Amino acid sequence: MSTPYRRSSQHGLMWIVIVFIGIGVGIALGSLLQKSVPWWCAALVIMAPILAAIALSVILTIGMSRQRVRGIQFALERQGFLMDTNPGADRRREVFLPVIELQTRLQLANGAEGIQWLALNAKPPVSRCLFEHMRITGSGKSTQVHLHTIIAWAVEDMPGANVSAFRPHALQRGFLSRRGETVTIGDERFDERWLTLGNIADAKTFLTEAMRDALADSPRGESWHVGPGWIACAFDGSLDARNLEAFRRRSEEIVRRSGWAERIRKA
């Protein structure tokens, strides 16, 4: 099995360092001001470096994000995918419609609108797609970005539909458990690490022993889903080119080892 992947940096440490430098500079400049300086002038002097630090962090984050996507495009196109780094609304809907059930299962509240980039096979016979999805929660001063990386295959005559299995991180485990839809497979090691949602019979059909063994080293945040005419693997986070390649190869190997590759629809 391929080496497990991990999420790309969200640049949180960079933000902290740059903003703290801005705060330090602002305080240092403020300490040099004469006491006779008006308060509003002192506030401007102190706040200017902080605001500049925030602006610099935003600019650097945007640049690094674009560089990450360019790296992904280069890697995927070498592997026979056609990548669209800025898909239009119709293209997004076309790709998202077959797996629209993921909107509820992964809490992708903005649906197709949230697709940031997508990649499709350039050549037959395997029908598969990759895309990154983003949604933003919160409002005003506090917002949070939620990213998912998803690979999906079109399949024929897939049994065990409407099942989702999550290798949850701490916050995700609590949320999923409260939904009250979890079932156990009867595999102690698997049931301890994974939360499975759906009908028990369908879950056992989809999560075969071979598949459960293949999922033993999955990272937290990975999930597997099956629906009418599709299988999908999702990761709760963004990936850079190297980790996306590991994610793709590993998920394809799991599908192959589990026996579901024979059901993948030919283009």
Side-chain angles (χ1 to χ4, degrees):
M1 180 63 65
S2 303
T3 303
Y5 53 91
R6 61 182 181 179
R7 73 181 65 235
S8 64
S9 171
Q10 297 300 297
H11 316 304
L13 180 60
M14 179 195 72
W15 271 77
I16 292 172
V17 171
I18 293 177
V19 171
F20 265 92
I21 290 175
I23 293 172
V25 172
I27 293 173
L29 291 175
S31 67
L32 298 176
L33 295 174
Q34 299 294 326
K35 292 184 178 179
S36 58
V37 173
W39 69 267
W40 58 266
C41 184
L44 286 175
V45 170
I46 293 172
M47 289 300 298
I50 299 174
L51 295 175
I54 293 173
L56 177 60
S57 297
V58 170
I59 292 170
L60 290 175
T61 299
I62 292 173
M64 287 187 284
S65 178
R66 289 175 176 171
Q67 184 178 15
R68 177 180 69 88
V69 173
R70 284 196 295 269
I72 289 172
Q73 182 177 16
F74 178 76
L76 286 178
E77 289 181 348
R78 289 183 62 187
Q79 298 298 323
F81 284 84
L82 291 175
M83 182 166 170
D84 190 343
T85 59
N86 187 27
D90 290 342
R91 187 64 162 160
R92 290 172 178 161
R93 285 192 292 267
E94 179 185 353
V95 166
F96 196 70
L97 184 60
V99 292
I100 196 169
E101 290 183 16
L102 291 178
Q103 184 167 344
T104 301
R105 301 191 197 188
L106 294 173
Q107 302 298 298
L108 310 180
N110 51 345
E113 180 184 345
I115 293 179
Q116 302 301 293
W117 57 258
L118 59 88
L120 303 173
N121 284 57
K123 300 177 181 179
V126 179
S127 180
R128 57 186 167 164
C129 69
L130 272 161
F131 62 91
E132 183 176 273
H133 186 280
M134 180 178 72
R135 68 181 177 94
I136 299 175
T137 58
S139 60
K141 297 180 180 179
S142 178
T143 59
Q144 185 175 1
V145 176
H146 304 269
L147 291 165
H148 283 88
T149 306
I150 298 168
I151 182 170
W153 299 263
V155 296
E156 297 175 344
D157 303 322
M158 186 65 195
N162 304 316
V163 173
S164 293
F166 295 82
R167 172 81 166 97
H169 45 69
L171 295 177
Q172 196 178 32
R173 176 175 288 275
F175 169 76
L176 291 170
S177 297
R178 287 192 296 272
R179 288 174 61 173
E181 304 168 2
T182 60
V183 297
T184 56
I185 303 299
D187 181 330
E188 183 176 351
R189 183 181 65 167
F190 181 84
D191 289 334
E192 181 180 354
R193 296 182 178 182
W194 288 77
L195 286 179
T196 306
L197 283 67
N199 177 277
I200 182 61
D202 288 344
K204 289 183 176 180
T205 298
F206 176 54
L207 298 167
T208 62
E209 182 177 357
M211 187 166 188
R212 297 196 304 271
D213 289 343
L215 296 176
D217 64 344
S218 292
R220 293 186 182 276
E222 181 176 294
S223 60
W224 282 82
H225 311 265
V226 59
W230 55 271
I231 296 174
C233 177
F235 179 66
D236 187 2
S238 64
L239 300 170
D240 58 23
R242 181 176 63 84
N243 283 287
L244 181 69
E245 181 64 10
F247 166 78
R248 183 184 68 81
R249 290 184 179 276
R250 183 177 180 280
S251 58
E252 289 176 350
E253 177 66 9
I254 289 173
V255 169
R256 186 191 66 80
R257 286 176 51 175
S258 302
W260 301 125
E262 298 176 359
R263 295 179 180 269
I264 291 176
R265 188 178 303 157
K266 306 305 178 183

